[in-house]
């Protein structure tokens, strides 16, 4: 609950300490504090025992951790809107508060990700509500029916290619995921005999929640909050897609003799057992098990010896990703090692393929 509580903390921290830098508490925690704690605390590669799986899966404590994220997240957004609408804060302080809310929004998409994989209708509705703050409701469709089908292939907009910088990846994944979601939902509705403009449309359901949320906040607090409301949504989306960039960079599923892609395996996702980030992100870093068994609840996900390991937790890798030369220096040789020195097995950025193959001594 520390992550959504970042939306509630800034005003009280600044009030009691006088440190205006704490309006930026969200990025401070995610980009500085968590990487340091990850380094100090280290890894935890232990897995639940098979005989404990059912009991652990049904333990409602873990469900309430995702449920409670939503009210804390939305209360924090309401408090922030009140402050954005007032004159007490400077522009810089308001920007810091927007950045903090953006990081909460991004982690909120991760909570929506966990809820959206469930079969229970209530949890699927909660997933759409959690996505309202970022206005990224189509993620509900694209992630479950697009990304999980095409993961670690060139056809997946959410799987980063070797040689592709984060700044090249972001416009490709955002636009590609949007178009894919529209196509997938249109096909589903057509199969079921429903029109696009119907109450059965998952994308319109999720987007309508954003319209209601933003419309209500603008009606209460005025148009002055609109730049900050937009900024926090953009930051939340960018945070989510940066994590996507980290999760499958350069990885490519094997092909069957028929030419089709093999079933997703643990080797098709980057993993990390850094304990602190795993706690903050509902074990998202055990990503291989999540793709192999998307129905598993986060507390039951397992570490896999087959999965390639990141040198640090997601929080640290996000920092590296924003600096492309540093990212490639850290990650490209790991992609090569993962494929036993055969770089042709990697998912390579098409327009950089010739250069990358040449750099790694492969036949062009």
């Amino acid at each position: 609950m520390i992550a959504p509580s970042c939306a509630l903390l800034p005003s009280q921290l600044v009030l009691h300490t006088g440190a205006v830098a704490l309006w930026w508490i969200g990025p401070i925690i995610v980009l500085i504090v968590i990487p340091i704690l990850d380094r100090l605390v280290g890894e935890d590669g232990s897995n639940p025992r098979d005989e404990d799986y059912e009991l652990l899966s049904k333990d409602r404590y873990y469900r309430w951790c995702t449920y409670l994220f939503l009210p804390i997240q939305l209360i924090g957004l309401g408090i922030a809107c009140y402050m954005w609408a007032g004159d007490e804060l400077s522009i810089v302080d308001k920007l810091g508060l927007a950045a903090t809310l953006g990081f909460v929004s991004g982690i909120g998409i991760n909570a929506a990700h966990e809820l959206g994989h469930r079969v229970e209708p209530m949890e699927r509705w909660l997933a759409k509500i959690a996505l309202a703050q970022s206005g990224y409701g189509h993620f509900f469709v694209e992630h479950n029916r697009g990304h999980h089908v095409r993961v670690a292939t060139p056809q997946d907009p959410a799987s980063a290619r070797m040689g592709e910088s984060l700044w090249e990846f972001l416009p490709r994944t955002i636009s590609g995921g949007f178009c894919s979601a529209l196509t997938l939902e249109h096909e589903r509705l057509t199969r079921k005999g429903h029109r696009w403009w119907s109450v059965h449309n998952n994308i319109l359901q999720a987007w309508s929640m954003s319209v209601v949320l933003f419309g209500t906040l603008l009606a209460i607090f005025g148009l002055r909050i609109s730049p900050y409301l937009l900024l926090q949504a953009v930051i939340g989306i960018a945070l989510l897609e940066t994590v996507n960039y980290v999760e499958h960079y350069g990885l490519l599923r094997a092909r069957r003799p028929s030419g089709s892609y093999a079933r997703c395996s643990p080797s098709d996702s980057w993993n990390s057992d850094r304990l602190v980030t795993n706690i903050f992100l509902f074990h998202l870093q055990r990503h291989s098990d999540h793709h192999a068994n998307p129905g598993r609840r986060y507390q039951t996900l397992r570490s896999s010896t087959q999965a390639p390991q990141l040198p640090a937790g997601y929080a640290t890798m996000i920092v590296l990703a924003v600096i492309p030369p540093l990212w490639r220096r850290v990650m490209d040789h790991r992609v090569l090692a993962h494929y036993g020195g055969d770089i042709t097995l990697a998912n390579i950025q098409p327009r950089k393929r010739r250069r990358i193959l040449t750099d790694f001594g492969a036949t062009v």
Side-chain angles (χ1 to χ4, degrees):
M1 294 296 98
I2 292 176
S5 295
C6 286
L8 306 176
L9 292 175
S11 60
Q12 295 306 304
L13 289 174
V14 174
L15 176 65
H16 291 289
T17 67
V20 294
L22 293 177
W23 292 115
W24 300 79
I25 190 66
I28 289 172
I29 289 178
V30 173
L31 302 180
I32 300 174
V33 175
I34 293 180
I36 291 173
L37 290 177
D38 262 342
R39 183 75 175 176
L40 294 175
V41 175
E43 298 183 350
D44 176 17
S46 61
N47 289 323
R49 299 183 304 171
D50 290 341
E51 55 267 35
D52 294 331
Y53 176 81
E54 287 298 325
L55 183 64
L56 187 61
S57 182
K58 294 177 181 178
D59 189 338
R60 298 193 69 82
Y61 164 81
Y62 296 96
R63 300 190 191 190
W64 278 100
C65 285
T66 53
Y67 298 166
L68 290 174
F69 196 107
L70 276 68
I72 298 174
Q73 172 187 5
L74 294 175
I75 291 170
L77 180 61
I79 293 172
C81 287
Y82 174 80
M83 294 179 175
W84 290 329
D87 297 318
E88 293 83 2
L89 304 186
S90 69
I91 296 295
V92 173
D93 293 342
K94 289 182 179 182
L95 290 173
L97 183 58
T100 291
L101 267 292
F103 275 75
V104 173
S105 178
I107 300 175
I109 299 176
N110 184 46
H113 164 259
E114 171 64 23
L115 292 164
H117 274 291
R118 309 283 68 88
V119 297
E120 293 82 355
M122 184 195 76
E123 296 193 57
R124 293 172 67 82
W125 277 104
L126 289 176
K128 296 169 188 174
I129 295 172
L131 290 166
Q133 182 175 339
S134 60
Y136 218 50
H138 60 278
F139 173 83
F140 178 85
V141 171
E142 162 56 20
H143 179 82
N144 292 307
R145 293 193 276 121
H147 176 59
H148 270 263
V149 173
R150 300 177 299 225
V151 63
T153 70
Q155 290 72 41
D156 180 30
S159 293
R161 301 157 180 170
M162 184 178 182
E164 181 179 33
S165 74
L166 173 65
W167 310 111
E168 293 172 303
F169 173 76
L170 286 176
R172 181 174 72 84
T173 189
I174 291 172
S175 60
F178 176 81
C179 294
S180 173
L182 296 182
T183 300
L184 290 168
E185 189 63 3
H186 180 267
E187 291 173 350
R188 186 188 73 87
L189 291 169
T190 301
R191 285 196 308 272
K192 292 183 173 292
H194 300 306
R195 295 182 179 181
W196 175 261
W197 297 101
S198 81
V199 295
H200 304 286
N201 187 320
N202 284 308
I203 294 178
L204 295 184
Q205 289 171 4
W207 284 349
S208 66
M209 293 178 187
S210 293
V211 170
V212 170
L213 176 63
F214 287 12
T216 300
L217 292 173
L218 289 169
I220 294 172
F221 298 106
L223 293 177
R224 293 183 64 183
I225 71 169
S226 55
Y228 307 105
L229 203 56
L230 177 61
L231 177 60
Q232 64 84 28
V234 169
I235 291 173
I237 292 167
L239 182 62
L240 163 77
E241 297 296 1
T242 302
V243 171
N244 274 339
Y245 177 80
V246 170
E247 288 172 337
H248 303 284
Y249 176 79
L251 300 181
L252 183 65
R253 275 153 58 186
R255 286 186 180 271
R256 300 186 179 100
S258 64
S260 62
Y261 288 102
R263 185 178 184 274
C264 186
S265 73
S267 64
D268 299 321
S269 304
W270 290 101
N271 280 230
S272 174
D273 283 325
R274 296 287 176 170
L275 179 60
V276 176
T277 302
N278 263 331
I279 291 172
F280 269 79
L281 296 182
F282 300 110
H283 277 187
L284 182 66
Q285 295 179 136
R286 294 190 166 184
H287 209 60
S288 291
D289 196 22
H290 168 67
H291 272 281
N293 303 283
R296 281 186 177 170
R297 292 188 177 270
Y298 71 92
Q299 68 270 23
T300 66
L301 292 174
R302 304 177 185 190
S303 181
S304 172
T305 56
Q306 295 175 266
Q309 290 291 320
L310 292 167
Y314 281 7
T316 304
M317 301 309 294
I318 287 170
V319 178
L320 298 180
V322 302
I323 310 171
L326 181 58
W327 171 264
R328 292 200 61 192
R329 182 175 180 180
V330 170
M331 288 302 299
D332 281 8
H333 71 90
R334 286 182 164 82
V335 176
L336 179 67
H338 177 59
Y339 290 112
D342 187 354
I343 201 63
T344 63
L345 299 178
N347 184 10
I348 301 174
Q349 177 79 322
R351 66 183 182 83
K352 298 180 181 178
R353 185 176 183 84
R354 179 181 293 272
R355 178 172 61 80
I356 289 173
L357 292 180
T358 301
D359 289 347
F360 286 95
T363 302
V364 178

